[in-house]
Amino acid sequence: MKKSSIRGNFTGRENARKRAAKKRRKQREAKRRKLLRQQKRIQQPTKKKVVKLLRSIDWSLIPVIGKWIFQIALTILIAFVCVWYFGQRVSVVGDSMKPVLENGDIVLANRIVYNASKPKRGDVIIFKPKGNENSHYYIKRIIALPGESVEIVENSVYINGEKLQEDYETSKIDDVGIVNEKVKLGSDEYFVLGDDRQNSEDSRNANVGNVKYSYIYGKAWFVISPKTHFGFVKE
């Protein structure tokens, strides 16, 4: 009787555990089904809304919208190129280019022109002397080109032995600086002078010297300020 009673109690407890485990499984399964039903209820309206939204779209407008986007992007690109290559502002320091440019004038630099062609005699260029990044920009006129020889004799400039004929207004050269004898330019060097040669720090000065092509920032092409000087830079 004792053994039977123990065996019966054990069997009863085992059955109770099985029933409890089964009940818990049923509860978990019921929760899972409930969650799935809730998710379906959420998804169904969303799908309906998406379908409704897609049906409401006028797909014939897509090419028109695409064209607008392309035009806007192209306009932004052109504006960027114009500003970056033609609209970089540089302040004139000093009156060395007077009367063409005066101290405080704001000019625009054409940065792309010398990618397509080489600088020409008479161009008004923007550069940093000796390529010194800590210096302000200088604005001077190209007088001699690479490979040419330059000489200053009795207030006149001679290129390869011939007197330079200049169509722009200049002042006399009182100081020849380092150009006290004929100067031969390298294959990438330019000789520059200010138009007001009595008040210009240019290739006659040792701290400027000949301007290498790599030192040139761009060509001064337009004056935007002040209003009294507004217009193209005279060459």
Side-chain angles (χ1 to χ4, degrees), residues 187-203:
S187 60
D188 65 340
E189 293 180 337
Y190 296 84
F191 188 89
V192 299
L193 293 175
D195 288 354
D196 184 0
R197 292 166 186 175
Q198 294 179 346
N199 297 290
S200 177
E201 187 177 18
D202 44 43
S203 290

Side-chain angles (χ1 to χ4, degrees), residues 37-211:
R37 286 195 298 269
Q38 290 175 344
Q39 288 176 345
K40 286 181 179 179
R41 283 196 296 270
I42 293 171
Q43 290 174 354
Q44 284 175 354
T46 303
K47 289 179 180 178
K48 290 179 180 179
K49 288 179 182 179
V50 171
V51 171
K52 186 177 180 181
L53 177 62
L54 292 174
R55 288 176 178 173
S56 67
I57 294 175
D58 186 353
W59 296 100
S60 64
L61 293 176
I62 297 301
V64 178
I65 294 172
K67 186 177 180 180
W68 286 348
I69 292 173
F70 174 77
Q71 290 176 340
I72 292 170
L74 183 61
T75 301
I76 293 173
L77 177 62
I78 292 173
F80 172 79
V81 170
C82 289
V83 171
W84 181 254
Y85 288 106
F86 300 100
Q88 296 294 305
R89 299 166 21 132
V90 176
S91 296
V92 177
V93 179
D95 288 322
S96 66
M97 284 301 295
K98 205 171 180 180
V100 173
L101 297 172
E102 296 185 16
N103 183 48
D105 285 358
I106 306 296
V107 301
L108 298 181
N110 184 336
R111 299 185 61 194
I112 200 172
V113 61
Y114 296 140
N115 290 330
S117 62
K118 294 294 184 180
K120 302 187 299 297
R121 196 185 328 275
D123 284 359
V124 178
I125 63 169
I126 302 167
F127 66 96
K128 287 194 173 182
K130 308 291 186 182
N132 182 5
E133 290 299 324
N134 295 321
S135 170
H136 66 79
Y137 284 108
Y138 279 48
I139 301 178
K140 309 292 178 184
R141 191 182 298 277
I142 292 179
I143 300 300
L145 305 174
E148 294 181 336
S149 62
V150 186
E151 194 174 10
I152 300 176
V153 180
E154 296 180 353
N155 296 320
S156 296
V157 179
Y158 289 81
I159 307 297
N160 294 336
E162 294 185 9
K163 186 176 180 179
L164 177 66
Q165 302 299 323
E166 300 174 282
D167 298 329
Y168 38 86
E169 184 179 342
T170 64
S171 61
K172 292 182 179 181
I173 301 176
D174 292 335
D175 183 9
V176 298
I178 61 175
V179 193
N180 50 15
E181 57 184 20
K182 187 179 294 186
V183 175
K184 178 73 172 178
L185 298 178
S187 60
D188 65 340
E189 293 180 337
Y190 296 84
F191 188 89
V192 299
L193 293 175
D195 288 354
D196 184 0
R197 292 166 186 175
Q198 294 179 346
N199 297 290
S200 177
E201 187 177 18
D202 44 43
S203 290
R204 294 171 295 166
N205 302 92
N207 62 330
V208 177
N210 300 331
V211 179

